[in-house]
């Protein structure tokens, strides 16, 4: 008796539907029509002789078996991609397509400095960038949506390999007319936790800032509201509090044309490590290490 083997395309459609929970959005993400995606999944179910997705007008719900198949499909698709990567890695390094997720507290400050030189020196590299919070970027990496991730450590990344690009020191930013006459380096004990503004959940910089201060009460008192560092700077500039900024953002001019000043945070573990991260045992590991060296040179 012959056994039907799902195609890569059918598994991609199924995973996309699971990720987006909507046929239209899944089709858009897969660059096909909704009817094509729906027909592919129905064909998969018909040939397997099982129901993977329960459909109604408003809800797409995966059956328990459907969820198990999706989990397995993630692994199969990742293996298929690594097969392609193995062939590509045998050719010229840093050429062809490479998908990199970058967290928002790095992307606008580091990439403008690096990308022009990378385009000039590696013209055959097609670098597709995706800006995501740290937790979503790591999920993209392990689900095969990203080949590598540029983020800040420490952060829970699972089984990966990494190369540190640089150290990025943390600064305290406050209004220029702050009456307390802050010193050249600001000790954590001087920070008024009731005025501290931080990025909302999902951004690893929030955790790095709280860990660097080593004051448990800050987690309860600080306001986690900012969706970006630029938003936090504008709030500080309007006298709503103070915040923590990475040095790379300050060097990139985030405080230009504001009445906000910044001083380095005093103490141990007051910096984050900027690192390139990729899946463990990736056939493109050497290529990623080379990319890390290129990023360091920037």
């Amino acid at each position: 008796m012959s056994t039907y083997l799902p195609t890569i395309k059918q598994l991609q459609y199924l995973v996309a539907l699971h990720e987006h929970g909507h046929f239209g959005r899944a089709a858009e993400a897969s660059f096909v029509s909704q009817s094509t995606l729906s027909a592919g999944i129905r064909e998969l179910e018909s040939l397997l002789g099982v129901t993977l997705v329960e459909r109604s007008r408003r809800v797409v719900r995966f059956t328990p078996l459907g969820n198990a198949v999706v989990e397995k499909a993630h692994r199969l698709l990742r293996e298929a991609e690594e097969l392609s990567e193995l062939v590509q890695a045998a050719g010229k390094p840093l050429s062809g397509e490479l998908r990199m997720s970058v967290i928002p507290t790095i992307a606008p400050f580091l990439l403008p400095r690096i990308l022009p030189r990378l385009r000039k020196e590696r013209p055959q590299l097609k670098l597709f960038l995706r800006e995501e919070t740290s937790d979503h970027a790591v999920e993209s990496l392990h689900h095969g949506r990203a080949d590598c991730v540029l983020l800040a450590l420490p952060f829970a990344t699972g089984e990966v390999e990494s190369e540190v690009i640089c150290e990025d020191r943390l600064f305290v930013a406050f209004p220029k007319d702050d009456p307390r006459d802050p010193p050249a380096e600001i000790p954590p004990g001087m920070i008024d936790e009731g005025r501290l503004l931080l990025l909302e959940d999902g951004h690893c910089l929030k955790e790095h800032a709280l860990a660097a201060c080593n004051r448990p009460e800050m987690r309860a008192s600080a306001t986690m509201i900012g969706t970006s560092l630029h938003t936090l700077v504008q709030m500080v500039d309007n006298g709503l509090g103070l915040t923590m900024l990475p040095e790379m953002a300050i060097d990139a001019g985030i405080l230009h044309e504001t009445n906000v000043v910044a001083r380095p945070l005093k103490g141990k573990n007051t910096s984050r490590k900027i690192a390139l991260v990729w899946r463990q045992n990736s056939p493109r590991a050497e290529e990623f290490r080379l990319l890390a060296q290129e990023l360091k040179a920037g």
Side-chain angles (χ1 to χ4, degrees), residues 106 110 113-114 150-153 163-169 247-248 271-276 292 295-296 298:
I106 294 177
L110 188 62
R113 197 173 78 228
I114 291 171
L150 190 60
L151 49 61
L153 300 176
E163 184 87 22
V164 173
I165 307 299
C166 64
E167 294 271 344
D168 191 27
R169 194 171 182 184
E247 187 171 15
M248 69 166 57
S271 63
R272 57 180 190 162
K273 290 181 172 62
I274 309 303
L276 187 69
L295 295 176
K296 285 181 185 179

Side-chain angles (χ1 to χ4, degrees), residues 68-85:
V69 170
V70 166
E71 185 177 349
K72 188 72 172 179
H74 275 299
R75 294 198 294 270
L76 291 173
L77 291 173
R78 192 161 62 239
E79 291 285 343
E81 288 183 352
E82 289 179 354
L83 181 98
S84 177
E85 291 172 358

Side-chain angles (χ1 to χ4, degrees), residues 186-207:
I186 298 182
M190 189 175 179
I191 297 174
D192 181 355
E193 65 272 16
R195 298 178 61 219
L196 184 60
L197 307 171
L198 294 174
L199 291 171
E200 59 190 5
D201 289 342
H203 295 272
C204 60
L205 182 62
K206 181 199 77 173
E207 297 301 329

